[in-house]
Amino acid sequence: MTTAAVPKARSRGDYAKIIGLIFGVLVLIGIIYGYITNPVTTTAVLASTLRQSTPLVLGALCGLIGERSGVINIGIEGQMLMAAFIAFLANVYTGNLFVAVLAGFATGAVLGAFLAFMSVTLKMDQIIGGTVINILALGLTSFFYQTGLTTQGKMQPIPLGPLADIPLIGPIFFDNPPITYTTLILVMLVHYVLFYTRWGLRTRAVGEHPSAADTVGINVFKIRYINVIIGGGIAGLAGAYLTLEAVGSFERAMTNGRGFVALAVMIFGKYTPFGAWGAALLFGFATALQTQLQFAGQLEIPHQFIGMLPYLLTIIVLAGFVGRTRVPSAVGKPYEKE
Amino acid sequence: MTTQTDSKANISQWLMVFWRSAAVPLVAVILALLVGAIILLISGANPLAAYSALAKGAFGTPIAFGRTLEKATPLILGGLAVAFAFKGGLFNIGGQGQLLVGAIVAAAVGFGIDGLPFIIHMPLALLVGSLAGAVYGAIPGALKAYTGAHEVITTIMLNFIAINLTDFMANGPWKDEGIVARTPAIAEAAAIPTWGNIPIGFFFAVVAALATWYLLYRTTIGYEIRTVGFNSNAAKYAGIGVSYTIILTMAISGFLAGMGGAIETLGVVGRYQPGFNAGLGFDGITIALLARTNPIGVIPAALLVGAMQAGSSQMQFDANVPFQIIDVIQALILFFVSADMIVRWIIRVKPEEGEQVTLSTSWG
């Protein structure tokens, strides 16, 4: 606020940019070196990085749309799990993958509406509201789950014509299954909507200062409802990704904490879509590398320690960066109309 | 005459207070069971048959009742862990991890030492296991106090890490002979005995609940913890060391959860084996909120959930209902007890002052 604070903030920003630039150049050199020495493995790891990051990006987008409007969504895990289950069932009973994806999206959106009902209308504690969704999803999916259901298959990669033939970049970006493509588009779309449209401005206003937004005639409740519902739908896509694109079937508790890791990704990405994408790529890279190392059998480390990696990384990221991230001011607080 | 009317007034006043604090949880449980019955109907089961089998499996025989107490024991401690952290303004979802660490360390003390008398060995294993839980709980506390990392995410991450860590220990350094991944059985002197069908560990949990209440409401530390939970800025200006208090709160919370794991090892399972008491973290949240974060209220709340768990296999056997319906009912209890606006609208009981739990301040 004070003038003295401005140069300090700016210099810190420059500092971060320089570090980011150095980091980016190092990553690029690493990739090129890897590609020259071992093109097959490098391409496989990087392509896997993008796919591993997909549910995390979607989860983080869900979280940030909600939090930008002032609602914490700790129920992403449950929204993903329930959507994964319903999308799987839809695939089993209709055999139509497109319908199954839509079912996943709709399931997430319904749970988003439930979260909005709890946190906006009932003014429940938002973290408890999300926890209700997590337990409910775990219970309902386990209760209704039957073993032995099979599907026609899962979604296959669609190569984008000549683009897919570009060395290195082609197989990574232009030869993916549909939800992975959709995720890349969503990152850009959410960025545009959030920062360049009236809706985005209103969302951010409601998340920062709801009473001021209310004074100028913005309907705080409506904005929060719609954001949390759309966010839930995006988390639902992440669930659909798991059953329809990654695994091809449903398993109990198959989300495995991804919904929570997505929240760390959101915070690490400083509540911006592109930031979240970058952060998710880092997590995706850790997972891809871990899988690759396990396959190659090059490591003497017990698999349990390799399995801890994404969770340890989440803690390190939270401990190292959360203090430096600016959180939307009104997040977590139910709005009381005066 | 006057004394008689006084005592009558006292009783009615006391009943009024009891109704005010117990009405919402009671109605919440009834509503949850009703919605659970609807879900059972949708799945094609008979809710009455299911619920009566559940009750039979929980209270029908002395053995069943003993099993209810046995199931309720780690639940009391898990609920206490969550409730205690709530009082300090912290949301400990890491009960699961703290329980696992407490369980495996108690097992290690149980099988690792030989020749100690019961009077030393059992309490030692219980204490060391609980302390291991305390250390594991203090980690997210320290992360919160010094870096601002939100405990909701770090405790969940530490749960996954604990699962991997205990899995590694039971498969590696502390593995029993043979192919099964588990630790050796604990020494007889380390085992917590049962008294007929009644597990003695249950009484340890009840004592822990009373001690937690005393600590919170009758000691300086408890006062400081509650002050930090109520308003950490005010606590700071009052001269309370907020960082220290946060770490202490999480350590005590972890101690309680770790004790739950230690009792389960020493009193029920007799060793550590993977797949041990999964899902306790979420049970603890339901129980703590059903008890309205009151340590004494945790006992009946845990008994209710413990009874459902103890009766669930009977229900699966008699009424052919998957036991996971218990999780659904628990989620519904959590919903109705937290959405007390709905419940209060139905029964018209005004909220008590100062009993609101506020958690979602922000991530910072």
Side-chain angles (χ1 to χ4, degrees), chain B residues 193-262:
Chain B
T194 54
W195 187 43
N197 288 315
I198 298 171
I200 301 296
F202 176 76
F203 298 103
F204 293 172
V206 171
V207 170
L210 298 174
T212 305
W213 180 86
Y214 185 84
L215 179 70
L216 273 175
Y217 293 103
R218 291 289 181 271
T219 65
T220 316
I221 294 171
Y223 177 76
E224 290 181 352
I225 287 171
R226 284 184 295 128
T227 309
V228 170
F230 192 68
N231 186 336
S232 66
N233 281 328
K236 199 164 93 187
Y237 287 113
I240 297 171
V242 174
S243 299
Y244 167 77
T245 308
I246 287 175
I247 298 171
L248 183 69
T249 307
M250 283 303 292
I252 295 173
S253 178
F255 183 92
L256 292 163
M259 189 174 165

Side-chain angles (χ1 to χ4, degrees), chain B residues 68-100:
Chain B
T68 294
L69 294 185
E70 187 185 291
K71 295 275 183 200
T73 304
L75 294 172
I76 291 176
L77 289 156
L80 282 176
V82 177
F84 188 82
F86 269 150
K87 291 290 184 199
L90 298 162
F91 197 4
N92 179 13
I93 311 189
Q96 177 78 54
Q98 293 142 19
L99 174 134
L100 289 178

Side-chain angles (χ1 to χ4, degrees), chain A residues 98-111:
Chain A
F98 183 70
V99 171
V101 173
L102 280 187
F105 184 88
T107 306
V110 168
L111 286 179

